[in-house]
Amino acid sequence: MKNIKYIIASLIITVSSTSCSNDFLEEKPRVDVELKEGITNEKNLAVAILGLHNALQNTDSYGALIPTLNELLADNSFVSLRNSNRFAGTRQTDLSYYVTQQGNFASLWGNLYNIIANANFVLSYEGKIQDDTNTSETPVSLFAQAHAVRAMAYYDLITHFSEVSGNGNQDLGVPLPLVLDVNAKLPRSTVAQIYNQILSDLTTAEGKILNTNKRQINNSAVDMLFSRYYLAVKNYSQADVYSQKILNSNFSSLSTATEAPTMFSATEEGGKETIFKLEFNDKDLPGANDGITATWYSGGRYRQNFATRAFYDKLSNSDVRKNSWFTLTSVGSPAISAFPDNPKPVDVAKYKTPATDIILMRKSEAVFNQLEALYYTNPTSALAKLNTHVSTYRVPGYVFAGTGQALLEEILFQKNAELFLEGFRYRDLKRNGIGFTNSQTGVTLNSTKYQFKAFPIPQGEMLSNPNIKQFPGY
């Protein structure tokens, strides 16, 4: 995988200047820490772990691109006709966006492998670092964080670049480097091998993380990754178990109907629901061209990505998310009413400033992971829990009586209403084999189309790695 850019090839890791404490709440200037001799003690192991978390902030992966693609490549959002050309190809009904030369796919691929390379570098020192009794951490806890981050990156790679577990072509997973080797040209491992590695990393990390800072990966975040993993491999009983474990935990709590409208404000930044988020602040934030607010918020520089009016209209007028997270009014000029789209766009007002933290995990996800798992094992319970949750926390008086496929689609719709722009819609539809036609653009995707099954391996990877195979159709 010669084209993959390993950001630690020179052993330089950029971190926030927080010494070795876990306090990311202090907003201090960033510094470069040069590890000329690698990791030699627990203190610079802790620095390396901060650097690993810093890599997650990249706007070409978790900082913006993953949540963006998971909405724009699905049914409930679109790029306006008035756009900067960013993501404009997602509007094309001929699916010409899905090509090996697509820069967004190349960026996602490269950045996720950058994260894995960082994790592999850190983990090459596992078992070699002694515990420093003068610190609040331990090597076991710090290495557990590296295992969990690597598992998360592999999960997102296999989710986007391969077919779902158990369906279709299971030979074409993704390359599986577990050591740092910039000259490696690995073939695609099988889908099962990738999921087995994810399980191995999560099992190694489970229950071992001492950190409780929500701006770093923690034990509840590992439980959430287990929940996602078990949904992906269709082990619904275990997905239910881990979802319930999160719901029973006091590490986070569900926001009430009163609290929900402001939970994405600059002061709340996810509030008490947060399990794991990326810190952005005035000293460490993406540029105005690159952050998630650049294209998604009407006050952003390019103000072009929106929710569909069909999605907005499906929200009940009593839904506390309507007209707070999703609104027909805008703050920029021209007003949304002046956009050339028909129907007019719906503004997504979750992230309003570049300095707002990006939510990677929050407690509401566990609710919907459990509901999906129960749909496949106990649909009666799934329906009852859906009605109880939505009516209690988001839509007073909510009652849904559908069964079968209609129940599954309602669960996933409510999940999208809750977790819009948090990285789920495309993968939820794909995992469950639910095709769609986007009401605004007319783009149609379903399980008969190879574009719905997997993203293409980027052209640069194909040219530099003779051992890798392209997904059929590209």
Side-chain angles (χ1 to χ4, degrees):
M1 298 182 296
K2 186 177 179 181
N3 70 306
I4 295 174
K5 299 173 290 183
Y6 289 86
I7 63 173
I8 55 171
S10 61
L11 303 185
I12 295 178
I13 298 179
T14 303
V15 299
S16 294
S17 177
T18 54
S19 182
C20 289
S21 75
N22 287 325
D23 188 2
F24 272 32
L25 300 178
E26 293 184 83
E27 298 180 1
K28 299 180 179 180
R30 294 168 62 185
V31 298
D32 289 335
V33 178
E34 189 170 351
L35 302 178
K36 293 181 179 179
E37 299 179 359
I39 298 173
T40 58
N41 55 58
E42 187 182 314
K43 287 186 177 180
N44 55 30
L45 171 60
V47 169
I49 293 299
L50 296 183
L52 181 56
H53 282 85
N54 190 73
L56 300 179
Q57 289 183 318
N58 197 299
T59 54
D60 281 331
S61 58
Y62 295 101
L65 188 57
I66 288 176
T68 293
L69 290 181
N70 270 274
E71 295 302 338
L72 293 182
L73 299 183
D75 55 342
N76 290 329
S77 69
F78 70 105
V79 176
S80 170
L81 290 168
R82 180 185 183 273
N83 63 69
S84 65
N85 205 39
R86 288 166 172 79
F87 307 107
T90 61
R91 294 185 54 92
Q92 302 305 313
T93 56
D94 62 1
L95 304 181
S96 56
Y97 181 79
Y98 295 82
V99 292
T100 61
Q101 303 96 324
Q102 177 52 248
N104 296 138
F105 297 150
S107 295
L108 179 60
W109 175 273
N111 275 278
L112 288 173
Y113 273 113
N114 284 344
I115 293 166
I116 289 167
N118 275 271
N120 286 343
F121 167 71
V122 171
L123 291 170
S124 69
Y125 293 90
E126 192 169 17
K128 302 175 184 178
I129 305 300
Q130 292 186 340
D131 185 22
D132 185 342
T133 57
N134 295 316
T135 70
S136 60
E137 274 281 13
T138 67
V140 170
S141 169
L142 293 166
F143 284 121
Q145 293 177 54
H147 278 287
V149 168
R150 185 168 71 177
M152 183 169 69
Y154 272 123
Y155 169 82
D156 284 299
L157 277 166
I158 198 69
T159 295
H160 293 99
F161 289 94
S162 297
E163 289 203 67
V164 299
S165 177
N167 290 10
N169 193 328
Q170 296 296 288
D171 292 332
L172 298 182
V174 294
L176 184 60
L178 297 175
V179 296
L180 181 59
D181 181 356
V182 297
N183 296 312
K185 296 180 180 180
L186 300 178
R188 297 175 77 145
S189 295
T190 67
V191 172
Q193 287 171 328
I194 301 301
Y195 279 114
N196 287 342
Q197 181 58 45
I198 292 169
L199 179 60
S200 175
D201 275 329
L202 293 179
T203 301
T204 300
E206 186 174 15
K208 296 184 178 70
I209 300 176
L210 299 177
N211 158 64
T212 58
N213 187 336
K214 294 182 177 182
R215 291 187 172 106
Q216 288 178 248
I217 205 156
N218 49 66
N219 286 329
S220 284
V222 173
D223 290 337
M224 188 69 82
L225 289 172
F226 267 116
S227 174
R228 294 178 184 179
Y229 162 82
Y230 282 119
L231 275 185
V233 299
K234 302 180 177 66
N235 186 334
Y236 299 117
S237 62
Q238 284 298 100
D240 181 16
V241 167
Y242 277 94
S243 298
Q244 190 60 50
K245 182 178 179 181
I246 297 164
L247 295 174
N248 290 342
S249 170
N250 60 8
F251 186 72
S252 60
S253 56
L254 295 170
S255 60
T256 66
T258 302
E259 295 166 332
T262 59
M263 67 181 292
F264 285 93
S265 68
T267 55
E268 292 294 319
E269 296 184 302
K272 64 184 185 180
E273 282 220 6
T274 301
I275 291 175
F276 181 29
K277 62 183 179 179
L278 300 177
E279 181 188 27
F280 288 111
N281 56 60
D282 290 339
K283 303 295 191 299
D284 181 10
L285 76 170
N289 290 337
D290 304 316
I292 201 166
T293 56
T295 54
W296 276 101
Y297 181 50
S298 65
R301 175 159 293 182
Y302 299 110
R303 52 201 314 267
Q304 60 165 60
N305 300 345
F306 298 100
T308 67
R309 186 60 183 261
F311 168 80
Y312 176 86
D313 288 344
K314 192 174 178 180
L315 297 172
S316 167
N317 288 335
S318 62
D319 193 323
V320 298
R321 299 165 297 199
K322 192 172 187 177
N323 300 321
S324 56
W325 301 355
F326 310 102
T327 174
L328 300 179
T329 59
S330 60
V331 299
S333 178
I336 282 182
S337 59
F339 273 61
D341 309 282
N342 184 27
K344 298 302 180 185
V346 177
D347 199 14
V348 181
K350 279 188 171 180
Y351 298 110
K352 298 181 180 181
T353 69
T356 302
D357 292 348
I358 301 295
I359 307 301
L360 297 186
M361 300 178 193
R362 59 185 175 95
K363 196 158 193 170
S364 284
E365 182 191 343
V367 172
F368 290 99
N369 287 358
Q370 182 178 65
L371 289 174
E372 182 179 336
L374 288 174
Y375 167 79
Y376 286 103
T377 59
N378 187 344
T380 300
S381 178
L383 177 62
K385 285 179 177 287
L386 172 68
N387 280 314
T388 297
H389 174 77
V390 177
S391 63
T392 301
Y393 292 97
R394 295 295 181 263
V395 189
Y398 172 89
V399 177
F400 183 78
T403 59
Q405 183 73 6
L407 173 58
L408 175 61
E409 293 186 9
E410 178 65 12
I411 290 170
L412 297 181
F413 173 80
Q414 290 298 332
K415 181 178 181 180
N416 195 212
E418 182 66 30
L419 300 173
F420 197 104
L421 202 53
E422 296 178 52
F424 296 100
R425 184 60 173 175
Y426 164 83
R427 74 180 77 197
D428 286 347
L429 296 176
K430 174 182 171 179
R431 183 177 61 252
N432 289 283
I434 299 175
F436 64 88
T437 296
N438 187 295
S439 62
Q440 195 84 24
T441 65
V443 171
T444 297
L445 278 176
N446 55 55
S447 57
T448 69
K449 299 178 184 293
Y450 62 86
Q451 295 94 337
F452 192 47
K453 296 177 181 179
F455 292 171
I457 302 298
Q459 184 179 50
E461 184 73 24
M462 295 299 301
L463 292 174
S464 66
N465 183 356
N467 299 316
I468 199 165
K469 293 182 179 180
Q470 185 57 270
F471 192 84
Y474 290 108

